[in-house]
Amino acid sequence: MAKIAFFSTQNYDRRFFEDNTGGHTFEFFETRLKPNTVKLANGFDGVCVFVNDGVNEQVLKALSEINVGLVALRCAGFNNVDLKAAEKYNIRVMRVPAYSPEAVAEHAVALIMSLARRIHKAYNRVREGNFSLEKLSGFTIHGKTIGVIGTGKIGQAFIRIAKGFGAEVVAYDKYPNENLKKSGVEYLDFDTVLERSDILSLHCPLTPETHHLINRESLAKMKEGAMLVNTSRGKLVDTASVIESLKNGHLGSLAIDVYEQEEKLFFRDLSDLIIRDDQIAQLMIFPNVLITAHQGFFTTESLREITSTTIKNFDDYDAGADSDNEVSCSLIKDC
Ligand code: NAI
């Protein structure tokens, strides 16, 4: 049985994994895995990390020096792991490739509907006894064009819901999906999706190629007044350009569940501190911006799925078995 050190542990991680150890032994650390915390993994077979643990070459080298052979991600994205270095130091990397993609897709839709109908404003207004409708006028999603960037598991779940609204769906993916084409999804080049979309939702992974996919140039190609939704990874979007576009009135509204500098903020209660990140502070006061703190995945169903798949990953590692959940340079495109 494997001995695993958990990093970036939240109460809910502890609760779910303590209820379902699969016979493995766990120790839970709240700190992120980084060069100056890696020594905590001494004596363990593997580490279990989340989206903002920085598993770079320095960390992987240090892990190999203390004979840690597994990095198990409690998430799908693996942009925070240097896979080339993992291969070099002979460390296996496993992830949870799918845990209720519908959860993230539904969260994206919740953000869209809140912004479109100004629910975030109306909620506060009614609580204060203000029943006026002034400045709450929204827009109908039916008949609008929704652009989807990345038509993998989450993108597809999102498209199913978008179609239910009676919206026209256009998509861009580096590797278009033939079945989706047959089902009537119109694939276009990236620029045309930007030009056509009233709502643009990002569902592609963060790679060197997609870093700042949404920047000053791409924002300029978007329809005036369009809504941008990012539930994928913060660094897909150049925050400074988005702020500029919101300020000059070109971008109509923004919904984000992920943020470029989220490592310094998200998953922590900072309510009694001064937020030193000027960009998020600015976004927080815009009336047409809605921010959630990386909660797209956060449903009971997803947490169950994450736990059971991660335990299976520990089992496979312990048994030296092959795993479909393993990510390595040789297995993925764009390493
Ligand atoms: P997936 O691997 O099933 O789909 C990703 C799609 O993006 C694929 O179809 C791929 O071909 C496409 N793609 C790759 N490079 C591209 C490029 N340069 N341009 C356009 N498309 C490209 O992944 P899945 O499960 O749909 O997840 C998508 C992303 O959602 C993850 O990478 C992760 O960053 C994010 N995520 C966010 C969560 C949250 O809580 N907010 C939870 C889970 C995932």
Side-chain angles (χ1 to χ4, degrees), residues 112 116-117 137-146 165-167 198-199:
I112 292 169
R117 303 307 297 269
S137 148
F139 69 85
T140 307
I141 296 174
H142 178 90
K144 294 289 184 301
T145 300
I146 302 186
F165 279 109
D198 298 296
I199 298 168

Side-chain angles (χ1 to χ4, degrees), residues 170-243:
V170 293
Y172 168 73
D173 194 300
K174 202 174 168 195
Y175 309 99
N177 178 313
E178 290 307 317
N179 288 334
L180 278 189
K181 271 191 198 169
K182 281 182 204 142
S183 78
V185 171
E186 189 182 0
Y187 276 101
L188 301 167
D189 62 74
F190 180 59
D191 284 358
T192 312
V193 173
L194 295 179
E195 286 158 20
R196 292 259 304 266
S197 302
D198 298 296
I199 298 168
L200 183 75
S201 195
L202 308 180
H203 299 290
C204 60
L206 175 65
T207 64
E209 194 181 359
T210 59
H211 182 262
H212 284 185
L213 185 70
I214 301 299
N215 53 33
R216 184 184 275 193
E217 288 75 43
S218 42
L219 283 160
K221 289 174 191 154
M222 285 178 70
K223 229 184 216 187
E224 185 160 359
M227 181 193 292
L228 174 65
V229 185
N230 187 8
T231 56
S232 199
R233 283 292 179 267
K235 290 183 175 61
L236 295 178
V237 171
D238 173 19
T239 313
S241 301
V242 159
I243 291 174

Side-chain angles (χ1 to χ4, degrees), residues 20 30 32 40 45 48 89 121 138 140 152 165 172 175-176 197 201 233 236 251 270 301 312 324 327:
N20 179 11
E30 284 174 23
R32 272 191 278 139
L40 291 169
D45 303 307
C48 187
Y89 295 110
K121 308 295 287 177
T140 307
F165 279 109
Y172 168 73
Y175 309 99
S197 302
S201 195
R233 283 292 179 267
L236 295 178
L251 185 64
L270 305 178
E301 292 80 358
K312 170 84 172 61
D324 289 342
V327 276

